[in-house]
Amino acid sequence: MTRIPFPEMQRPLVAILRGLKPTEAVAVVGTLIEAGFTAIEIPLNSPDPFRSIEMAAKIAPADVLIGAGTVLTVEQVNSLEAAGGRLMVSPNVEPAVIETAAAKGMVTLPGVFTATEALAAARAGATGLKFFPASVLGPSGINAIRAVLPPELVIAAVGGVSDANFGEYVDANILAFGLGSSLYKPGMSADDVGERAKVTIAAYDAAIAAKKGG
């Protein structure tokens, strides 16, 4: 089993750009990087996603993870590698997908909801776990499952989490998040995304500071 570690990041926040078009990729991704995001996911149910991933990977600094979400097959992992992606996010636990991505040196964040799924993903070598929808489990539900997991796994909350409620999760020592519609929706301009990114990062930093202060 290969487990690729999650890189050291000032803020373990993944921007989820579902619906992004290749014509928007450079401007939107560039704006997010400028705002301070260091992990960006382009789901594969977006228009021509591998083209957008390739374009994003070319402009991203070495310390910024660019990758795909909604990855379901080994073939898609191979295409992600060819596009220069280094982050593999899936909505489910498919051991072959996780193992293939890990063997290629990718950071892997499969989606889980139950202890059974979480432990299966851990056995497959996942870097971390994307608890989705986090709004249903809540911080207490996530931490109940976390108690039986390997401590080195990154625990990320996705779905219903935004700048409005970071504090609830941070208070429970859940520090990594995937951010979708609160950050980006199809049709938003790069400037709009940049403003949302600034608000999001400020809220995250405030939640972390409040946790340390407490």
Side-chain angles (χ1 to χ4, degrees):
M1 179 187 72
T2 302
R3 192 187 309 285
I4 304 300
F6 204 80
E8 289 293 328
M9 291 181 176
Q10 183 179 357
R11 304 175 189 90
L13 305 175
V14 180
I16 303 169
L17 306 180
R18 191 177 304 279
L20 184 76
K21 298 177 181 177
T23 52
E24 306 165 318
V26 169
V28 171
V29 170
T31 294
L32 286 168
I33 293 171
E34 184 177 349
F37 274 84
T38 50
I40 295 169
E41 165 197 338
I42 299 172
L44 294 187
N45 53 1
S46 304
D48 200 1
F50 292 114
R51 176 63 179 149
S52 292
I53 292 167
E54 182 179 17
M55 295 170 72
K58 286 180 178 177
I59 67 166
D63 61 346
V64 173
L65 282 175
I66 302 292
T70 321
V71 178
L72 300 173
T73 67
V74 168
E75 290 74 19
Q76 290 173 339
V77 175
N78 293 335
S79 296
L80 176 58
E81 180 187 38
R86 298 189 294 128
L87 171 67
M88 191 290 290
V89 184
S90 61
N92 62 337
V93 178
E94 179 55 62
V97 169
I98 298 168
E99 291 162 2
T100 300
K104 295 178 180 299
M106 295 179 188
V107 170
T108 57
L109 288 172
V112 302
F113 188 76
T114 67
T116 298
E117 292 169 339
L119 288 166
R123 282 195 301 273
T127 298
L129 304 176
K130 179 186 78 171
F131 278 90
F132 178 88
S135 58
V136 176
L137 283 166
S140 60
I142 294 172
N143 273 340
I145 298 171
R146 185 187 212 169
V148 301
L149 299 175
E152 69 273 14
L153 285 178
V154 171
I155 303 299
V158 183
V161 183
S162 71
D163 54 282
N165 60 355
F166 280 142
E168 300 171 24
Y169 291 87
V170 170
D171 285 346
N173 290 316
I174 298 165
L175 307 179
F177 301 97
L179 302 158
S181 59
S182 68
L183 184 64
Y184 171 83
K185 294 178 182 177
M188 288 178 66
S189 69
D191 288 342
D192 290 339
V193 176
E195 289 302 312
R196 288 301 310 151
K198 291 174 185 176
V199 170
T200 299
I201 285 176
Y204 181 81
D205 289 349
I208 294 295
K211 172 71 172 175
K212 291 178 179 178

